[in-house]
Every structure is written in structure tokens, then in C-alpha cells.
Amino acid sequence: MDAVRPVARPQRRAGYQPAQAREGHPLLRPSAERPLGLVLSGGGARGAFQAGVWKALMTHPRGMAALPEVMSGTSAGAINAVLIAAGRSPDEILEFWLELARDPPVRANEAFFTSLRRVLTRLTVQEPLRGLRQRRREIPKAWRTLARHRWFAPSGVQASLMEFLLTARFDAVSRLLDGIQSTHLFSTKIFRERLRDAVGGDAVRSEIRLAINCVDARTGRVVRVVNHKPQTRTSSKLYRQLDEIPVDMVLASASIPLLFEPVSVDGMTLWDGGLLVNSPMAPAIALGARRIVPLLVTAAPSGEAAPMDSVGQCIERVIDVLLENAYNADRKLMLERNELAQRMKEKRLRRVELFTAIRPEASELFNAGSYLYFERDNLLSMFRAGVEAGRHWIEVMPKIDAGLYPGRSDRNDADEEPVLAPRSRSEPAL
């Protein structure tokens, strides 16, 4: 892993602003007392969907009348957030994603395959030299395994071999994995330069309160980088405040483990934040957001049994379940916090309005492969789907989440002002 470059001053440019002379939706208008926060989840190539939603929010007559005061992003969401903070327009953000399709900014890691070849050669040489006693124990297992399958068919031989390796010879698999002296399949050095060019330097300075989320691979802890001081009683250990957000932190937030190389920053080895905080609402609250719009890349659960007829569909379900669970956990914590603020007003907690999430409709476009399918037509289709989803949300669904207990009489209505307790002069409350 390369050392982090010295941070250069980012280029200054006139930031993008939504179309003027429009009021925007009443629930999305700027408010000094109720700052609006946009939370962008991770999702690989589905970041193009978020770019489409951003286009709708910025161009629809009843969309956002100004840029959000707060943004918190993870992985692809962190990339989109920093592009917005750097002043890029929706069309420029789309062009950034399309450029990934025209000229993929990754390079296969030859060191990985060199190490793989060496360890396979070593195991091939060592295998015939194994002790006779070990072989005597394993030969009966191999015959029993082969007998359970159609030994006369190629698929039967392959199935019996896989079963034997995983039940009787997993030590060989373990030695193979431990012998590969590399941590990733692809280098992202080219992508770093692409991202640096897109934001205009090695770091981004913005008036938008911005949070980027990563995971420390060695400690397993979440690393949150913010460009403004948190406004809550949260321990400063949970946040790293910098005047400018380094490109390397954004790159780290999108470094999928094993696939892309981890990023070394200040002695930390950082991975994709989506491992633990794929929909990072807590940093948005810490930065002062009192209204939060979640922008997800997974379709809402339909309530019907999802098809599970192929490996691809199973992988899709695994990823969707993990990401949906991450969002539901953050959502539950926020709504329970609001319930606590309602019941214990002496704590002077502020309620946070959580909007219903903007997310895609279930379709073949958003299958398991779409997370890493950086093909131009596919990215354009997801961008258009994002525009449609954003317009639909603005026209039909810009409302406050019903909460954990819908129908409760003590819950504020969507059209009412939130209950805001007075802020402490010495230290703002979460």
C-alpha cells in the first residue's frame, strides 16, 4: 500500500446550484433551525441511480430549492456526496460514472496472481510427500464421497471433489488462502487520479457539512471523517474532523474488501464503509441535520417471497438482505431516539424528521450483477431509473416516516412542525 500523498489545495470553482426562481417542496425548503441532510448509501455501480435521483431533486419544480446543508455518504454514496460538495452538476456527475464505463480505472493486481501461482506450485509439490498414515485415513473418505455421486459423469466427479476438499482436506484450502501474499484483486490507483481530477484536487473544501464513512480493517471500527465540528455530545473519538475531505478517505470508503486494495491513511488500513454503516444517518445527525432524506439503491421489500432459483438470485438476496438490514437498524435507532425525545423532554433531545427513503423499483435492472456492472447502457438505465424514482418521490411520497408505531396519537403529523427543545448554549444536544 502506498503512503498517502500530501494534501494539495483543491481548485476553486463556482459550485452548482439548483435552478433559481422556484420555491421547491415545502418539506424540502432550506431552514436554519431544521437543516436538511441527505444520506447516500453504498451500492457500487448503482451510484448512477443516485445521480439520477439528484438530477430530479435539483430540477423538479417541487424538488430542493437549495443544496442540502448536510450530507453523509458511504462507498458509492461517498463518491456522489463529495462530487456534489465539489460543485459538480447532476450531468457532470453522470458523466463521471459514464467515464468509468468508457475507460475502467482499475488494473488487475499481478502480484496476487503471481503469489497464487507460486502457492499452487508449492502445494502440488508437497502433496505427494504427505505421510502414508494421513493418506490411509483419507482414501476411504474419498471413495465414500465418490460413491455418493455419479462418478461416471463430469458433474459427479466435480461435486465429489468439492465435497472431499471441504470435508476432509480443508487444510489444503486454508494453506492455499494463507499462502497468497496479497490482499486484493484490483489496484485503484488510476481511479484515485480520476476522482482527484473530478473534484479538482487532493481534497474537497465545502460549506456543506460532509461526512465520509470507512472501516478500519485492523480494528473493525467505523472511521467517520467530517469537515465541520459535530454538534452533538458524541465523543470526539467517533469523528475525525478535517477542514478538507481528502480524496483518499473517499477512495477508502469505496474500497470493497478483497476486490480493491485497502487504503492507508494516518497509520490506518481502511476498507469500504458499507461493511458496517451502509446508510450512515448518525453522522448526519451529529452534523446538525434535523430532517433526513435517505437515498438507497435497494428496492423496498415487497412482502412477497423473492425468487431463489439461481446462484445469481441467491447472491442478490444476500446482498439486499444485508443492505436492507443495515438501513433498518439505522432507521430503528433514529425513530427510537425520536420516541425518547417525545417521552423525556427534560433531556432536551431534538426530534429528527426521517423522510421515507428514495429507492428503485424492483426490476431486472437491479439484479445481483448490477452492483459491479459498469457498462454504459446499464449505467444510463440506472440513471434514468433514478430520475423517475426521484420525480415519483417528490410528486407522491415526500412525507415523514410513519415511525415504529404508526397511528400513535403522540407522534407529530407529517405536516406539523417538529418538537424542538431549546439548545444548550454550552453544548448542542443530539
Side-chain angles (χ1 to χ4, degrees):
M1 291 174 290
D2 295 340
V4 177
R5 299 183 178 187
V7 175
R9 301 293 295 182
Q11 299 174 3
R12 302 297 180 186
R13 72 189 295 272
Y16 171 79
Q17 290 291 334
Q20 301 299 318
R22 63 174 185 147
E23 294 184 353
H25 195 283
L27 293 176
L28 302 178
R29 292 171 186 164
S31 171
E33 294 186 354
R34 295 187 296 145
L36 180 64
L38 188 64
V39 172
L40 300 101
S41 73
R46 295 188 184 187
F49 170 84
Q50 294 180 338
V53 173
W54 182 244
K55 171 89 170 181
L57 291 175
M58 291 292 99
T59 59
H60 194 283
R62 288 174 62 81
M64 290 183 177
L67 298 176
E69 291 92 340
V70 179
M71 286 193 299
S72 178
T74 292
S75 196
I79 294 172
N80 283 325
V82 79
L83 290 173
I84 294 170
R88 297 302 181 254
S89 70
D91 290 336
E92 288 175 322
I93 296 174
L94 170 62
E95 185 61 27
F96 173 85
W97 287 98
L98 294 180
E99 183 63 24
L100 302 184
R102 282 191 291 268
D103 184 14
V106 294
R107 178 176 298 168
N109 178 19
E110 291 188 15
F112 177 92
F113 296 99
T114 299
S115 184
L116 174 61
R117 178 178 54 81
R118 288 174 178 172
V119 71
L120 285 174
T121 301
R122 184 169 62 250
L123 290 175
T124 301
V125 172
Q126 293 174 348
E127 191 63 20
L129 303 179
R130 296 176 65 246
L132 182 59
R133 180 178 299 178
Q134 291 175 307
R135 292 181 178 281
R136 284 177 177 174
R137 289 198 302 263
E138 293 165 0
I139 289 175
K141 293 180 181 179
W143 280 112
R144 287 196 300 269
T145 301
L146 187 61
R148 284 197 289 265
H149 298 277
R150 297 184 302 161
W151 55 268
F152 51 85
S155 59
V157 175
Q158 293 166 355
S160 61
L161 179 60
M162 178 64 70
E163 182 178 328
F164 178 73
L165 283 174
L166 295 181
T167 58
R169 290 304 316 278
F170 198 80
D171 62 307
V173 178
S174 180
R175 282 191 292 159
L176 171 64
L177 297 177
D178 291 340
I180 301 175
Q181 301 300 304
S182 184
T183 60
H184 56 280
L185 285 171
F186 294 96
S187 168
T188 54
K189 292 182 177 63
I190 301 174
F191 180 68
R192 184 193 185 281
E193 295 306 313
R194 190 80 56 81
L195 185 60
R196 180 180 180 275
D197 291 342
V199 301
D202 287 315
V204 174
R205 179 184 290 271
S206 176
E207 293 301 318
I208 297 175
R209 289 170 254 170
L210 185 62
I212 302 299
N213 304 272
C214 312
V215 171
D216 189 324
R218 299 186 184 277
T219 66
R221 296 176 180 173
V222 176
V223 177
R224 303 177 176 92
V225 178
V226 296
N227 63 347
H228 289 73
K229 183 178 180 180
Q231 300 182 11
T232 69
R233 291 190 292 265
T234 306
S235 169
S236 59
K237 294 182 180 180
L238 297 180
Y239 295 90
R240 294 168 58 87
Q241 183 185 346
L242 302 172
D243 292 335
E244 300 171 343
I245 299 295
V247 164
D248 290 289
M249 297 303 301
V250 183
L251 184 65
S253 184
S255 294
I256 303 173
L258 303 182
L259 188 61
F260 301 131
E261 62 186 313
V263 179
S264 180
V265 178
D266 296 337
M268 298 180 294
T269 303
L270 301 178
W271 269 342
D272 193 317
L275 285 174
L276 299 177
V277 283
N278 197 60
S279 49
M281 298 186 196
I285 298 176
L287 289 175
R290 293 297 173 258
R291 295 171 292 163
I292 289 182
V293 177
L295 208 175
L296 311 181
V297 298
T298 53
S302 64
E304 301 178 358
M308 297 271 288
D309 301 323
S310 68
V311 172
Q313 289 176 340
C314 289
I315 294 175
E316 180 181 0
R317 287 303 303 143
V318 168
I319 298 174
D320 287 349
V321 165
L322 291 174
L323 298 186
E324 189 67 22
N325 180 71
Y327 169 66
N328 285 334
D330 286 339
R331 172 181 176 269
K332 181 179 180 181
L333 286 173
M334 179 176 295
L335 295 175
E336 286 182 340
R337 175 191 176 284
N338 282 346
E339 292 289 332
L340 182 64
Q342 183 71 17
R343 295 196 306 267
M344 304 177 66
K345 296 183 179 180
E346 70 277 6
K347 297 293 185 180
R348 298 195 298 181
L349 296 175
R350 285 191 168 193
R351 289 175 59 91
V352 177
E353 293 178 306
L354 176 62
F355 286 83
T356 52
I358 310 176
R359 56 199 316 170
E361 294 288 334
S363 69
E364 288 297 322
L365 177 62
F366 293 91
N367 57 27
S370 66
Y371 286 102
L372 293 173
Y373 190 29
F374 290 88
E375 191 275 331
R376 178 181 173 82
D377 289 342
N378 189 67
L379 294 176
L380 280 172
S381 296
M382 287 194 287
F383 177 82
R384 296 186 188 107
V387 173
E388 290 301 315
R391 289 173 178 169
H392 175 76
W393 186 85
I394 292 169
E395 295 167 0
V396 179
M397 298 176 59
K399 54 189 177 184
I400 308 303
D401 192 304
L404 297 175
Y405 312 103
R408 279 264 301 262
S409 60
D410 61 346
R411 186 183 61 82
N412 285 348
D413 217 12
D415 295 330
E416 295 179 356
E417 290 291 314
V419 177
L420 300 179
R423 180 182 298 179
S424 168
R425 292 185 178 179
S426 60
E427 189 173 22
L430 173 60

